[in-house]
Amino acid sequence: MRKLLQIEYLKVSGYAAFKILMLGYFLAATTLFLSLHNFSFGPFQIFGQETLKFPYVWQNVAFIGKFLNLGLGIVMILLIGNEFSFGTAKQNLIDGLSRTQLVISKYLLLIVIALGATVFMFFVGLLMGWANSVTITSALIFKNIGFMLSYFLHAFGLMSMAAFIAYLFRKTAIATMFFLAYAVFMEAILRLSIDADFTRYFPSKTLSNLISTPYADLVSGMDLQLQNEAWNEYMILAVFYALIFFVLSVQVVRKRSL
Amino acid sequence: MREVLKITNLSKSYGRIKAVRELSLTVFHGQVLGLLGPNGSGKTTTLSMILDVVKADAGQYEWFGGVPVTMARKRIGTLLEKPNFYPYLSAVKNLEITCRIKEKGENRINDVLKQVGLFQRRNSKVKGFSTGMKQRLAIAASLVSDPDVLILDEPTNGLDPNGIADIRSLIRDIATNGKTIILASHLLDEVEKVCTDVAVMKNGKLLELRTLRGSELDRVRVIELSAGSEMDLLKILEDQDGLRIIQSLNSMLVVETKKSPQEINRILAEQGIYLTHLRERRKTLEEQFLELTNQ
Ligand SMILES: Nc1ncnc2c1ncn2[C@@H]1O[C@H](COP(=O)(O)OP(=O)(O)OP(=O)(O)O)[C@@H](O)[C@H]1O
Ligand SMILES: [Mg+2]
């Protein structure tokens, strides 16, 4: 495990495009969060003072993060697509990694990136909560901290999906298009004609359900009743899907010639 | 002798193309086996299968008497068809990755870069390397873990004459250190110069396996001759029993025969033909190869 991560570290640490993309991700996230209070929906300020207070801030940060995670998915596709276009997946195999190890090392990297993004989101939430809350007690701060776990699982799940798509298509451009199309509208179209009781367990919907839309509650209820708890059944399901994507990736890599 | 690799009835098809057909072959410790064959004869496919990069349709292979292929790969240095590197990393960083995967120390990196003449450029990104430089780096990568077995698929591809000479002497040095080498090539003099054995492939089949060691090859001798009139020469020689014309090039004939050069000279002189050139030599691998693959 450690060896595989070290190898992945060697690969990405010298990769300028990866560093620029990650930096871009963090910069984009920072600017987005700094300008949140400017967003409005009709008369309603979507992320008003209230929504950025503890404990609500956690869900809002996680919710925004959900969209930024698409970027992390694309980074993963790029890294995996590169291994095929450079022929290095084949070379790593020839040099002594097993097919399963090839996939494991990418999933390890993906977990590390998801963890890093979660830590970043945690500090963003902490700062924004601090700036906007009138009363600050540790009980309030940590009340909904579970949304950081939701965020992590979302990043983990979505990047796993992206990784599987990358192993399936091998070509970065095609995989990216398919990933975006699937995550943004393909599954939604699929879901139209199928019963909702069933479709809410579809992968993309499941991940999305981890963190429900905060302002929908705000608009309808007007009483700041956000998703009360981070915990829901989708958390288990998200882990389950990540595992499925991992197993499928291993199968795809094992079945085909490199 | 210890078996390093044993291949039995290995086959692979791509759609209707049979790339490799029921190939069986055993490689022993210390052998330098040349895998010869025209383009598309299945050399790369064979090498890919024994490394499990390409899935074989049928047949088996066994490394080091039964070591699983994943373990075996760490003990084999391989250059398969073309160099594969992370273009945005330097030569040294790329070799570091190879060493990590092979679970070998990085202490040989500078040595092998010197051996292939890339030491000066060790910190340059591979992206900026020329074709030959990438090829040299690929050879360095195959050597860096000090493997027991080397698999080199056309290692001198894209190299300049100095590079070719360097790599050949490198291969010979490595061979004398008791390593086992499998070398796929269509450069026959390359194989002839460095190999102890040759396997000739055509259309996915193993046509012949023979050793180049000792005198076996020397026994197959040919005679080169030319005279003022090639037509007359041909007419007389064609009538001779136990004599086969294997080549006729630029008014020089190459014949294979049991007769001695003196005897041939005498026969021709009796017919009034006087030779301008007569030389006995051993048959080159190239001639043997062309004969085999043109059948
Ligand atoms: N990925 C592939 N898809 C389809 N056909 C393939 C593939 N790889 C090899 N082949 C076919 O298999 C046959 C053997 O190819 P291979 O690359 O093994 O030949 P080779 O002996 O290495 O040739 P060369 O001397 O040109 O390197 C060829 O007919 C080739 O077209
Ligand atoms: Mg080839």
Side-chain angles (χ1 to χ4, degrees), chain A residues 78-138:
Chain A
L78 176 69
L79 292 178
I80 294 169
N82 276 349
E83 299 275 4
F84 288 101
S85 65
F86 298 156
T88 41
K90 178 170 152 180
Q91 192 63 43
N92 287 174
L93 184 83
I94 290 170
D95 285 339
L97 292 186
S98 69
R99 283 161 198 269
T100 313
Q101 280 177 320
L102 286 181
V103 179
I104 290 177
S105 53
K106 282 291 180 282
Y107 273 77
L108 288 176
L109 177 67
L110 159 174
I111 289 173
V112 170
I113 295 176
L115 279 175
T118 307
V119 169
F120 172 72
M121 289 298 172
F122 170 76
F123 282 114
V124 166
L126 209 57
L127 275 170
M128 297 220 303
W130 212 275
N132 291 293
S133 300
V134 188
T135 43
I136 299 172
T137 66
S138 61

Side-chain angles (χ1 to χ4, degrees), chain A residues 181-241:
Chain A
Y182 184 83
V184 177
F185 63 84
M186 244 160 73
E187 195 188 283
I189 292 171
L190 262 172
R191 288 196 305 255
L192 281 180
S193 51
I194 307 174
D195 187 39
D197 279 342
F198 191 57
T199 58
R200 64 198 168 106
Y201 299 116
F202 276 26
S204 194
K205 190 70 188 163
T206 292
L207 292 176
S208 183
N209 284 343
L210 279 170
I211 309 148
S212 67
T213 315
Y215 64 79
D217 299 317
L218 183 66
V219 173
S220 59
M222 289 303 290
D223 56 356
L224 273 180
Q225 272 307 305
L226 302 169
Q227 187 179 336
N228 275 322
E229 274 190 85
W231 167 256
N232 56 34
E233 79 256 38
Y234 299 108
M235 283 188 168
I236 297 170
L237 215 53
V239 175
F240 170 74
Y241 269 123

Side-chain angles (χ1 to χ4, degrees), chain A residues 3 6-8 10-16 79 82-99 101 106 253-258, chain B residues 12 14 48 51-55 70-71 73-76 78-89 93-94 96-98 100-103 106 125 141:
Chain A
K3 180 187 105 177
Q6 282 171 343
I7 293 169
E8 288 306 310
L10 275 174
K11 290 180 194 171
V12 295
S13 66
Y15 190 22
L79 292 178
N82 276 349
E83 299 275 4
F84 288 101
S85 65
F86 298 156
T88 41
K90 178 170 152 180
Q91 192 63 43
N92 287 174
L93 184 83
I94 290 170
D95 285 339
L97 292 186
S98 69
R99 283 161 198 269
Q101 280 177 320
K106 282 291 180 282
V253 173
R254 278 167 83 151
K255 282 265 160 56
R256 285 155 61 182
S257 298
L258 278 173
Chain B
K12 174 76 186 175
Y14 288 108
S48 300
L51 292 163
D52 194 34
V53 176
V54 164
K55 299 279 175 189
T70 347
M71 309 285 271
R73 282 193 294 236
K74 294 203 173 106
R75 292 167 59 181
I76 306 165
T78 309
L79 161 56
L80 200 60
E81 202 155 35
K82 70 177 186 50
N84 302 309
F85 292 109
Y86 297 92
Y88 54 82
L89 293 181
K93 282 270 180 256
N94 269 292
E96 275 175 25
I97 291 179
T98 313
R100 287 287 167 90
I101 293 176
K102 295 223 175 268
E103 290 169 354
E106 290 158 20
K125 288 187 171 142

Side-chain angles (χ1 to χ4, degrees), chain B residues 140-198:
Chain B
S142 69
L143 298 174
V144 74
S145 61
D146 196 18
D148 305 330
V149 179
L150 265 181
I151 294 182
L152 301 170
D153 190 3
E154 287 165 44
T156 51
N157 216 351
L159 294 189
D160 54 30
N162 282 331
I164 294 178
D166 290 351
I167 297 309
R168 278 186 196 160
S169 72
L170 196 63
I171 293 174
R172 246 172 313 186
D173 285 352
I174 294 163
T176 46
N177 289 331
K179 309 263 166 166
T180 310
I181 303 175
I182 303 174
L183 173 75
S185 179
H186 21 231
L187 299 176
L188 292 134
D189 57 330
E190 176 167 300
V191 168
E192 195 163 24
K193 278 182 185 131
V194 301
C195 292
T196 59
D197 301 80
V198 280

Side-chain angles (χ1 to χ4, degrees), chain B residues 38-45 47 80-81 153-154 184 186:
Chain B
N39 293 132
S41 55
K43 303 180 296 289
T44 302
T45 307
L47 297 179
L80 200 60
E81 202 155 35
D153 190 3
E154 287 165 44
H186 21 231

